[in-house]
Amino acid sequence: KVKFKNGTTQILPTDTAMKLANITTSISTKKVPKKLTRRYLLQQEDWPDWKNSEYKQLKQYEDQQTFGKPIPYPKGANLLNLIWTYIKKDDGTKKARCVCNGSPNRKGTVTIGETYAASLDQTGSRIFWAVAALWNWIIIGADASNAFAEAPPPKAKLYVTIDKPFREWWTSLGQTPLPEHYVLPVQKALQGHPESPRLWAQMIDSIIQKLNLLPCKHEQCLYYTNNYN
């Protein structure tokens, strides 16, 4: 039975009822893909929010001078593609992140510097939290925005392709559209490149040690000091 707005009801033929049920089920069970893509998001009502997130990411890179002035591609130069990932955080924030495709198997990836970066061992982490709880210490956490882009660039000169999101952002600033063969010189460490974690680790280590904090002997990512002034 179908009930209309005027209060009347009507019994539909079986085949019509089944088609209507299938349509209703299809609409109600429409799933969001596990991995959000720009193509999918462009079709959603909240696309302006994602677009603003793209622009926010590129503005951060501009403020950090991550990329140099767009130039024609130097023939034979180390060139990688940009990749965008889209996630929605637990608090509902829409995050667009721009990285490079620096897979070791990727053509154009040139790695000269070390790629190893130290990290806190799980045992060391547990001991740290246990001691803090035992002594009732206050733990203060902090996060660095666009952390890798604060570090210097890879040793081998790197360029990245200019993709559609960057071109749209560029013209939104009133700039002349960029030619297709133009690329971006990379002036800072860029997430996705194999050397970037190491470059960030070296930079933050030097800053921490300038604060009179020294790495522990067996846990290089835990620091201590006897100077509390």
Side-chain angles (χ1 to χ4, degrees):
K1 293 183 179 181
V2 176
K3 186 175 183 179
F4 296 95
K5 290 184 178 180
N6 60 8
T8 61
T9 60
Q10 181 179 345
I11 299 177
L12 297 177
T14 302
D15 59 338
T16 304
M18 291 180 64
K19 290 180 181 180
L20 182 60
N22 289 335
I23 293 173
T24 304
T25 302
S26 176
I27 295 174
S28 62
T29 59
K30 185 177 181 181
K31 295 181 179 179
V32 176
K34 291 183 179 180
K35 184 177 180 180
L36 297 177
T37 64
R38 196 171 197 263
R39 178 181 294 182
Y40 169 80
L41 294 173
L42 278 167
Q43 302 173 7
Q44 307 308 308
E45 293 182 356
D46 61 351
W47 165 244
D49 296 337
W50 293 103
K51 183 177 181 179
N52 289 336
S53 184
E54 286 183 344
Y55 285 11
K56 180 181 178 180
Q57 168 78 112
L58 293 172
K59 181 61 170 63
Q60 287 176 329
Y61 278 151
E62 180 184 46
D63 293 341
Q64 293 172 295
Q65 299 181 341
T66 304
F67 302 123
K69 182 180 178 181
I71 61 172
Y73 171 60
K75 187 175 181 180
N78 181 23
L79 180 67
L80 295 176
N81 292 331
L82 290 176
I83 298 177
W84 285 87
T85 60
Y86 304 87
I87 60 171
K88 183 177 289 188
K89 297 184 178 181
D90 292 339
D91 63 358
T93 301
K94 299 178 178 68
K95 173 68 175 179
R97 181 179 288 109
C98 180
V99 303
C100 69
N101 188 354
S103 170
N105 298 325
R106 178 77 178 180
K107 183 179 179 181
T109 300
V110 176
T111 303
I112 297 178
E114 295 287 344
T115 59
Y116 169 79
S119 62
L120 184 61
D121 183 82
Q122 188 178 56
T123 301
S125 176
R126 289 180 175 180
I127 293 174
F128 170 79
W129 290 105
V131 171
L134 180 65
W135 291 94
N136 199 30
W137 288 339
I138 296 175
I139 307 298
I140 300 175
D143 186 22
S145 178
N146 268 13
F148 283 0
E150 298 290 344
K155 287 191 175 183
K157 184 65 178 177
L158 175 65
Y159 299 86
V160 292
T161 56
I162 299 177
D163 60 5
K164 189 172 182 179
F166 187 94
R167 293 180 185 278
E168 292 177 356
W169 171 75
W170 179 266
T171 55
S172 74
L173 300 177
Q175 304 277 16
T176 303
L178 296 169
E180 289 295 325
H181 65 287
Y182 270 41
V183 296
L184 296 172
V186 178
Q187 302 181 149
K188 298 290 184 70
L190 189 60
Q191 186 170 345
H193 192 278
E195 293 178 37
S196 294
R198 180 68 167 180
L199 293 166
W200 160 255
Q202 290 175 331
M203 186 203 71
I204 195 63
D205 175 73
S206 65
I207 293 175
I208 292 174
Q209 294 205 39
K210 287 179 182 178
L211 299 174
N212 296 319
L213 290 163
L214 299 174
C216 296
K217 182 177 181 179
H218 299 292
E219 280 290 355
Q220 297 294 305
C221 291
L222 278 180
Y223 297 79
Y224 71 95
T225 183
N226 293 321
N227 181 4
Y228 299 96
N229 296 324

